Amino acid sequence: DTVDDDLVGVTDTEVPTRATWRAMVSAAATRWTLGNLTSAIPMTSPGIWFGRRLIADSAEQVLRVSMELGGNAPLLVFEDADLDKAVDGALLAKLRNGGEACTAANRLLVHRSVAEEFTQRLADRFGQYTVGRGTLPDAKIGPLVDEDTREKVDRLVTSAVEAGAKVVTGGRKIPGAGYFYQPTVLTDIPKDAE
């Protein structure tokens, strides 16, 4: 059995319901454990409820379970970091797969002693990127998935700025067709900002 066998009937265009996910994980855990095919089940899930179900269905067999449940992963930059490598890493961690990877860094926590220099280097690199359709040869950053997402990003940026954050670069919707938003770097974001 493979994961593909467990997802028969689910295509890329279908979004399984919660009941479907529960049935799939229950069947998968049973087959994987009873078939003695693995000692662990790694999963990226659609939510915490899915993780709870996977843990419950795996508990009877005492399987190790490792999950990414849509966390708020930070990228840390320490005072002794090579800043060029840290900027490269930040761009990779944030922009891999158009920023849609489940492991994408949602925030950067930078030591005070290097924060200003790191921020400027990051902003400079973002400033070199062309935003546009993926069919354009020089486009490095594409659109957001839809207008609702672009509005949410704009609301988050606006809210943070109103609460005291400073815009180093970007911070605005790009006018015209598509759901484009300027690559944005904010600093001094209050801890209670959404």
Side-chain angles (χ1 to χ4, degrees), residues 21-23 25-27 29 48-59:
W21 274 111
R22 285 180 177 150
V25 73
S26 181
I48 291 174
W49 62 267
F50 184 85
R52 286 185 182 131
R53 179 62 189 217
L54 184 59
I55 290 168
D57 288 347
S58 302

Side-chain angles (χ1 to χ4, degrees), residues 4-166:
D4 291 338
D5 293 337
D6 297 325
L7 298 178
V8 170
V10 180
T11 67
D12 291 337
T13 59
E14 296 176 26
V15 178
T17 65
R18 195 177 275 206
T20 303
W21 274 111
R22 285 180 177 150
M24 288 183 337
V25 73
S26 181
T30 300
R31 278 199 299 248
W32 287 340
T33 57
L34 293 179
N36 205 16
L37 297 173
T38 187
S39 62
I41 300 176
M43 267 298 171
T44 299
S45 82
I48 291 174
W49 62 267
F50 184 85
R52 286 185 182 131
R53 179 62 189 217
L54 184 59
I55 290 168
D57 288 347
S58 302
E60 190 173 317
Q61 300 297 324
V62 192
L63 287 178
R64 290 178 299 132
V65 179
S66 174
M67 291 173 274
E68 191 286 313
L69 299 172
N72 196 10
L75 181 133
L76 306 175
V77 179
F78 295 101
E79 61 187 324
D80 61 347
D82 177 322
L83 293 186
D84 289 327
K85 288 181 180 177
V87 168
D88 288 344
L91 291 169
L92 180 63
K94 186 59 194 157
L95 299 178
R96 178 184 292 125
N97 195 32
E100 295 295 327
C102 62
T103 56
N106 289 340
R107 56 203 166 118
L108 307 175
L109 302 176
V110 182
H111 193 276
R112 288 185 206 289
S113 66
V114 296
E116 188 174 333
E117 186 177 352
F118 174 85
T119 301
Q120 193 55 57
R121 288 185 192 195
L122 183 64
D124 290 346
R125 289 283 296 280
F126 266 139
Q128 296 170 9
Y129 284 3
T130 300
V131 177
R133 292 189 336 256
T135 56
L136 299 174
D138 59 341
K140 292 278 189 188
I141 298 179
L144 296 172
V145 68
D146 57 24
E147 185 60 28
D148 288 344
T149 302
R150 186 167 78 156
E151 286 298 324
K152 179 181 179 183
V153 168
D154 194 53
R155 211 171 35 254
L156 290 170
V157 170
T158 300
S159 174
V161 170
E162 288 172 354
K166 295 178 182 70

